[in-house]
Structures are given as structure tokens and as C-alpha cells.
Amino acid sequence: MSPAVSTRIAQASDAVDRLAASRWPLVAWAVAVVAGLAALVTGVVGVGPAWLPGAGSVAVSGAFTWALVARAGGRPVVFGTLAVAVGVAVLVLDEDRLRTGAAVWTCVVSAVLAVMGTVPARRLRHAAREAVLATGVAAVGALAVVGFEPVISVVSFEYATLGLALVAVFALVFRLGAGFHGLGRRGLLIVLVGGAVLLLTLAYAELLRRYGPGEVVTDLLDGVRWSRENLGAFPRPIATVLGVPALVWGCHMRARRRQGWWVSAFGVAATASVASSMMNPSVALLEVGLSIVYGLVIGLVIGAALIRLDLRLTGPRGRRARRAEERAAGRPEPARGQALL
């Protein structure tokens, strides 16, 4: 290689490093998300040109893909640009299958990014903050999913996006948690219990959908109807019972043990549910929002109870000792805007 070529390569590398160290990429990313969200809101309120929500979906999908790849230690510029190019092609070709595929991709990316974008939490209020932020990211993704106007079966879409999001997040957590060697007995038990809760929730919902309720669940369904009539909505069980508590407890545990990532991975049950929450045209937007809020509040309560139980069983005795443990909790992990891998 000639000296001139080597010099040019070195100069280009230095330029890339300076750009990566600056705040301009983050500013550009934030502008893209805000602009895309504004375009999507125009579609919700019914103002502006018809193509604007689709453009907003492309902007959000590209920005979220960029952020997820950057968080995973990949090449965000390449994959973010590719996501935008594919999104533009989908809008131009205007085929139902392409729109549906773009919606699935956006839903999965939003759900996984919402989980991978969290950081360890020393205290309960910090863990609650992470769950709220993750829910907010998934909610923006939900608007972007609708903007592509997919043609779907609601149940199939929810199952497909949840399954793909679970595979993606566990693949990333497998690397973050040092493989199965980082699980330990405690982590293995948590994964088994979380998997059992997930399977039981999905199996029970499918049985109800196929065969209808039996006498045992009649009172439960009456409670659901009462909640929808008097409170405006009913929280989604998989997000309330599993997803949000996993986010809260997982972020709290990650400040102390690396097994916390395996707990946080089940948080995708909440973020995927939120990201696909607007797909049912028969459910009003207000009811969707109330359902997310109710599930978040109840899930935070369950997560707080799990943290208290965990500290009581494994933490030090006495208020002073617990405060000292809380101040010392600071397992090293990259900041929110840095690569995890």
C-alpha cells in the first residue's frame, strides 16, 4: 500500500473517530425521532398530507434501527441507512406484504431497543424510571408501526412480533451475560420461572380464544368487562404480570449482578405488547393508552414487591446495612448512549 493511500485511510479514520466522539450524531438522531413522531401525530389527529405518517414511520424505524445497532456494537450508519432506504422503497411500491413486513420489523426493533436502552438502577425509583422510559420508546414504536398501515391478523401479528423480539433480545443478552456460564443457579431459576410464566400466559390466552371461557374464569371476565366500562380499559396480562416487573427487577439487579440481564430480557414481553398495542382497529386510542398506563402502574407495584423480597432474602440485615449496600451497588456497565458489546 502506498504512503499516500495509508495517509488518506488514517485521515478518514480520524475523521470518523472525531464524528463518533462528538454530539452531532446524537443530535441528528434526536431530530429524526422528534420529526418522525410529529409526522405520526399528524396522522393520528387527521391533519396534513396522506404521505406524512408513512414518512414518520420511516424516520422512526431508521432512527431506532440505528440506535439498536449502535447499542449492540455494530455499524449503525450502515444499518440505519439501509432501514431508511428499505422504508422508502416500501412506501413507493405500496404493496401490502411489504408494508406488513416493515411494520413487523419496526415493532421488533422498537421492543428490543426499549429493553436494551435501559441502564442499571441502584434504587427502586431509578428502576421505575427505566420501566417508564422503556414503555415510552415502545409507544413511539407503536405509532410508527401503525404509520406503515399493514394488513394483518392482529393475533398473528402479536405472536410473531413477540416471538421475534424474544429471540433477538435473548441473543443479545446471551452475549452480555457471558453465555450460559454467567447464569448460575440463581439466574437459571429466574429464567425457568420467567419462561414458565410466559408460556402459561400465552397458552391460557390461546385456550380462551379458541374454546371460550369456562365457569372458572367467568368472574375474571366479568371483572375485565367492569374495568373497561368503568375505568376505560383493562391492562394486558403479559405486560402487567411479566414484562414490567421484569424490567423493574432486572434493572435493579443489574446494578449488583450480571444475571440481571437475563431478568431484563423478559421485559420485552411488555415492550412488544406496547409496540403492537395499536394494531387492533376496534380498540380506541384512549383505551390503548389507559391499558398501557394501568399495566405499567400495576407492574411497578409487582416489581417493587419482587425487589423487596429479593433484598430481604439475599441482602444485608438492618436499614443502615441496606443503605450501605445501595451506595456500593454500581456494577460497571456502559452508559445509555454507548455500545454494550
Side-chain angles (χ1 to χ4, degrees), residues 75-102:
R75 298 180 179 272
V77 176
V78 174
F79 287 95
T81 304
L82 180 61
V84 172
V86 171
V88 171
V90 167
L91 296 183
V92 171
L93 295 175
D94 196 19
E95 293 286 340
D96 290 343
R97 291 184 179 180
L98 295 179
R99 285 182 174 272
T100 302

Side-chain angles (χ1 to χ4, degrees), residues 221-268:
L221 294 181
D222 290 339
V224 172
R225 284 189 289 269
W226 181 91
S227 178
R228 295 185 67 180
E229 292 173 359
N230 295 275
L231 302 179
F234 186 81
R236 293 193 171 194
I238 192 171
T240 306
V241 177
L242 178 61
V244 175
L247 283 173
V248 175
W249 188 23
C251 290
H252 188 270
M253 187 183 295
R254 274 161 50 196
R256 295 155 175 82
R257 310 176 190 88
R258 62 181 176 181
Q259 288 96 337
W261 265 116
W262 292 97
V263 181
S264 296
F266 285 102
V268 81

Side-chain angles (χ1 to χ4, degrees), residues 29 33 58-70 80 83 105-106 109-111 113-114 136-142 144:
W29 181 86
V33 173
V58 172
V60 171
S61 178
F64 278 12
T65 301
W66 186 95
L68 180 58
V69 174
W105 170 262
T106 304
V109 168
S110 302
L113 175 62
V137 171
V140 174

